Amino acid sequence: MTKDVESHVEPAEEYSAKDYHDPPPAPLIDFDELSSWSFYRALIAEFVATLLFLYVTVLTVIGYKSQIDPAHGGDDCGGVGILGIAWAFGGMIFILVYCTAGISGGHINPAVTLGLFLGRKVSLIRAVLYMVAQCLGAICGVGLVKAFQKSYYHKYGGGANELAPGYNKGVGLGAEIIGTFVLVYTVFSATDPKRNARDSHVPVLAPLPIGFAVFMVHLATIPITGTGINPARSFGAAVIYNEDKPWDDHWIFWVGPFVGALIAAIYHQYILRAGAIKALGSFRSNA
């Protein structure tokens, strides 16, 4: 009977072992990408996606502030509220990741790009140029907001991120680190190829948890920093608004997201996925 059980178990074990293989890490520097049209198409997709993201979300923020302004007959219960702003950010990320994932990976955020680079999912050249495209897209997106809402733009803060009164810089930095950790950790988990091989529904649903992560983080941190967790979003708004306060706090919206992305990459790749142990095991087997 033992032999019969073993004969039934072994094929299943062999099948599961062959069902999944870790993809090879992306090269650190890949000059061949610079001669590929698909690479430039991905840059365009990142630029346009970030432009649309900033256009819709910053317009939502300014519209909300104008709707609650008593000078225009508004009140604190009017407008979309913080919940609506969070939905705008999370919903746009869901839409844009869904639309661009097959072209550029749907990063739309330098912190996400950094995290994926640290996880060896993209090359250094791709990571740097993605960040440039994202920042340029953010500037253009906020520029469109200013062009369409010029009368309200400066009056209601231009959608720029800054530390709220009553919070010190340490609290703001901590909020950005934790918020970005949640986002980048979700990106790693939702796009994990091991889960994709095991659960066929995961690739279809990947943009949904990423959008929800952005939504939930905004609910928690809008009252503290206005929620950055995306250096391109903060940079684009600061460049077009160009007032002292956003620039004084601006370092928080780069350092915090990049530190959060670093921690998320280490946590997922080297603790949950045991990347360091796998590398050591491979080295020993080769020896």
Side-chain angles (χ1 to χ4, degrees):
M1 182 174 180
T2 304
K3 291 182 179 179
D4 291 339
V5 172
E6 289 177 350
S7 65
H8 287 292
V9 171
E10 286 177 356
E13 290 176 345
E14 289 176 2
Y15 175 79
S16 62
K18 295 178 180 178
D19 189 43
Y20 167 75
H21 296 283
D22 266 319
L28 180 61
I29 299 176
D30 186 4
F31 289 108
D32 290 340
E33 288 184 316
L34 297 176
S35 61
S36 171
W37 162 241
S38 62
F39 175 65
Y40 295 100
R41 184 178 61 180
L43 291 178
I44 294 170
E46 286 293 309
F47 171 84
V48 172
T50 314
L51 183 154
L52 295 174
F53 176 61
L54 268 292
Y55 172 73
V56 171
T57 55
V58 172
L59 266 181
T60 302
V61 171
I62 293 174
Y64 163 68
K65 289 184 176 180
S66 68
Q67 289 168 338
I68 65 172
D69 187 354
H72 291 87
D75 58 74
D76 290 339
C77 296
V80 296
I82 290 179
L83 184 64
I85 293 173
W87 271 120
F89 279 89
M92 280 303 292
I93 287 296
F94 168 68
I95 293 167
L96 294 170
V97 170
Y98 179 82
C99 292
T100 60
I103 301 171
S104 66
H107 297 192
I108 320 171
N109 184 337
V112 171
T113 300
L114 176 65
L116 294 175
F117 166 70
L118 294 172
R120 299 297 303 276
K121 307 296 185 183
V122 296
S123 69
L124 178 61
I125 291 175
R126 184 176 290 264
V128 171
L129 292 182
Y130 268 26
M131 292 181 190
V132 172
Q134 291 156 359
C135 289
L136 291 176
I139 292 171
C140 293
V142 182
L144 287 177
V145 173
K146 184 177 180 180
F148 292 160
Q149 292 281 6
K150 194 168 185 179
S151 59
Y152 290 152
Y153 182 80
H154 279 284
K155 183 176 182 179
Y156 297 116
N161 288 121
E162 58 184 54
L163 198 60
Y167 296 97
N168 61 46
K169 295 183 186 297
V171 172
L173 181 63
E176 289 296 307
I177 291 173
I178 296 172
T180 311
F181 173 86
V182 172
L183 170 59
V184 178
Y185 173 41
T186 304
V187 170
F188 272 108
S189 299
T191 59
D192 188 341
K194 187 173 184 179
R195 292 187 63 193
N196 293 350
R198 186 180 66 231
D199 305 321
S200 60
H201 63 279
V202 169
V204 178
L205 296 179
L208 186 60
I210 295 171
F212 261 106
V214 172
F215 168 70
M216 298 304 295
V217 171
H218 274 76
L219 287 181
T221 59
I222 282 176
I224 303 173
T225 61
T227 308
I229 67 171
N230 184 336
R233 176 261 185 272
S234 303
F235 180 70
V239 167
I240 301 299
Y241 186 55
N242 200 28
E243 297 288 343
D244 291 339
K245 177 60 174 171
W247 284 122
D248 290 342
D249 300 331
H250 190 65
W251 66 271
I252 294 173
F253 301 101
W254 284 89
V255 175
F258 278 0
V259 171
L262 171 63
I263 297 171
I266 292 172
Y267 176 64
H268 185 269
Q269 293 296 100
Y270 295 100
I271 297 177
L272 297 185
R273 292 295 309 277
I277 296 174
K278 290 178 182 177
L280 180 60
S282 176
F283 173 78
R284 286 175 174 173
S285 63
N286 290 336

